[in-house]
Amino acid sequence: MAMMPKRVKFRKSQRGKMKGNATRGNYVAYGEYGLQSLESAWIPAKTLEAARVAVSHAIGRSGRLFRRVFPQKSVSAKPLEVRMGSGKGEPDFWCAVVKPGTVLFELSGVSETVAKRAFARVAHKMPVRTRFVSRRHTVA
Amino acid sequence: MASAIKLSAETREKLGTRTTRRLRNAGKLPAIVYGHGEAPLAITVPTKAFFDSLDQGAHLFELGIGSKAETVLLRDVQFDHLGTNIIHADFARVDLNERVTVTIGIELTGTPIGEKDGGKLQQTLNEVEIEALVTEIPDAIHHDVSGMKLDDALHVSELTIPAGVKVLTDADSVVAVLHAILEEASTSDAATPEPEVIKKEKTADEAETKK
């Protein structure tokens, strides 16, 4: 089942801007390997769900997947063959707003080879260019 | 244990985005030295030498700034937005017989016995805060997990800590657990309900005034 918020203050949201880079959620925090976005985009909930399924098929019963983005934003659309006007359309789908640098998914408990293979499958499904990243060492 | 790594540094006269960008392109990393009641000093260090020393797990540096040598502790590093390159470093002046607080990584070694029974080791805590003499800061906390059985948990209090090092992180914090691998619950494709809309409840006075 695709993710969406349980409770919201407003059903419909404004479009917003996606300028700049990610200043939070931009490093591997929970797992050992991650998939990082290099572009900004709205990623629909069903795409994130497809990615989860692809990863669970690739890693089998080993490892753990962390989802670092959540579809908080509703996108509205008007039905087909409806004239313009008469207010904003109804919510069509939910999406996560992603900026360059955002870590989309993380994996732990798997080897680097398995993680790379799993994230390669996810990368094909994503509407953004991505890259494979590892946890960085504690330096200070 | 950490021994001070020698780096040659130069003072920076000009500050600002454009200047620091030019310095980075020239292979120099902008940094700052502060602490011990002295004025902060803007410096540059050679990027490659600094990165090489970080790979060795260095914390302590001896900076040669002009004719002066300063012993400093690496306090913070700033990364670019993709987390690839270090763009700035913070150094704090220290005495060699001073106790300092630093964060260091935890490295688990060995294969747990419980993995033969279908368990999988999951590390939940990757770094701990420690207090130690400047000269006795370890590169990392190494702990052997080969004795762990299924459903065992490793706590901070059970870590192998080098002599002279005091751990400041909560002793009951879980570092790693050895879980049995469970089948993931299948998700249904049932029609998704709409999220609940949070509404402010009207008070009796407001309802009356509307009427």
Side-chain angles (χ1 to χ4, degrees):
Chain A
M1 200 164 73
M3 294 186 291
M4 69 162 75
K6 283 199 182 88
R7 297 174 82 212
V8 288
K9 205 160 181 182
F10 302 104
R11 289 171 63 228
K12 299 172 186 176
S13 62
Q14 296 192 338
R15 296 180 67 82
K17 296 278 184 192
M18 288 192 291
K19 65 178 183 179
N21 301 313
T23 53
R24 48 198 295 188
N26 57 358
Y27 60 93
V28 178
Y30 301 100
E32 286 136 30
Y33 307 104
L35 189 72
Q36 189 179 44
S37 169
L38 299 175
E39 291 170 339
S40 54
W42 288 353
I43 303 186
K46 65 179 180 185
T47 308
L48 295 173
E49 175 63 11
R52 186 195 64 80
V53 172
V55 170
S56 67
H57 283 177
I59 65 172
R61 291 176 62 213
S62 61
R64 184 174 171 193
L65 178 74
F66 297 89
R67 290 180 274 195
R68 295 289 309 275
V69 289
F70 186 86
Q72 295 277 3
K73 186 184 187 70
S74 72
V75 179
S76 62
K78 279 178 173 287
L80 291 175
E81 299 183 3
V82 170
R83 290 178 189 275
M84 287 296 109
S86 318
K88 192 172 167 89
E90 287 303 304
D92 189 27
F93 63 93
W94 293 81
C95 68
V97 181
V98 163
K99 286 180 174 187
T102 308
V103 174
L104 305 171
F105 297 98
E106 286 179 24
L107 268 174
S108 72
V110 291
S111 67
E112 188 172 348
T113 323
V114 173
K116 273 188 177 166
R117 199 189 311 140
F119 283 145
R121 292 186 184 185
V122 173
H124 278 294
K125 296 180 187 297
M126 289 291 130
V128 284
R129 281 188 306 121
T130 57
R131 67 170 193 164
F132 181 83
V133 284
S134 305
R135 166 183 286 277
R136 61 183 179 221
H137 300 294
T138 310
V139 288
Chain B
M1 298 297 158
S3 58
I5 289 179
K6 285 182 183 173
L7 280 182
S8 62
E10 292 167 22
T11 50
R12 277 189 287 154
E13 298 300 326
K14 286 183 182 174
L15 306 174
T17 311
R18 195 179 289 178
T19 320
T20 47
R21 191 176 292 155
R22 282 178 190 150
L23 286 171
R24 284 185 203 113
N25 290 341
K28 292 173 184 175
L29 183 75
I32 190 161
V33 180
Y34 52 74
H36 277 195
E38 290 179 43
L41 184 65
I43 58 160
T44 60
V45 289
T47 309
K48 193 178 179 305
F50 179 66
F51 282 14
D52 289 348
S53 54
L54 285 188
D55 286 343
Q56 295 163 22
H59 286 276
L60 197 62
F61 293 88
E62 195 181 310
L63 298 179
I65 309 166
S67 57
K68 208 170 138 192
E70 293 220 57
T71 310
V72 292
L73 183 72
L74 181 63
R75 270 281 169 226
D76 196 15
V77 284
Q78 283 176 34
F79 287 86
D80 62 357
H81 71 287
L82 291 177
T84 319
N85 300 314
I86 293 175
I87 55 173
H88 188 269
D90 282 17
F91 295 105
R93 294 186 186 99
V94 283
D95 279 333
L96 287 178
N97 48 8
E98 192 179 332
R99 283 184 81 82
V100 289
T101 307
V102 287
T103 307
I104 58 167
I106 303 171
E107 283 179 19
L108 304 180
T109 53
T111 312
I113 311 167
E115 285 205 352
K116 285 177 189 163
D117 305 327
K120 194 83 191 172
L121 186 71
Q122 241 172 44
Q123 191 173 349
T124 50
L125 190 71
N126 292 284
E127 49 194 37
V128 280
E129 204 175 28
I130 60 155
E131 189 191 286
L133 263 180
V134 170
T135 48
E136 290 181 354
I137 301 171
D139 304 338
I141 301 280
H142 300 277
H143 185 84
D144 186 17
V145 289
S146 48
M148 279 181 82
K149 293 172 191 160
L150 203 61
D151 293 331
D152 270 2
L154 176 70
H155 297 91
V156 170
S157 55
E158 297 159 30
L159 287 173
T160 321
I161 307 294
V165 175
K166 186 183 165 192
V167 178
L168 301 178
T169 308
D170 185 16
D172 294 333
S173 301
V174 176
V175 177
V177 279
L178 194 73
H179 277 313
I181 300 164
L182 298 172
E183 282 287 345
E184 196 176 326
S186 62
T187 53
S188 64
D189 286 336
T192 52
E194 281 253 321
E196 181 194 339
V197 179
I198 304 164
K199 280 181 182 168
K200 192 182 163 189
E201 284 183 18
K202 281 180 187 170
T203 57
D205 293 346
E206 278 178 351
E208 270 184 26
T209 48
K210 269 208 168 182
K211 281 175 190 175

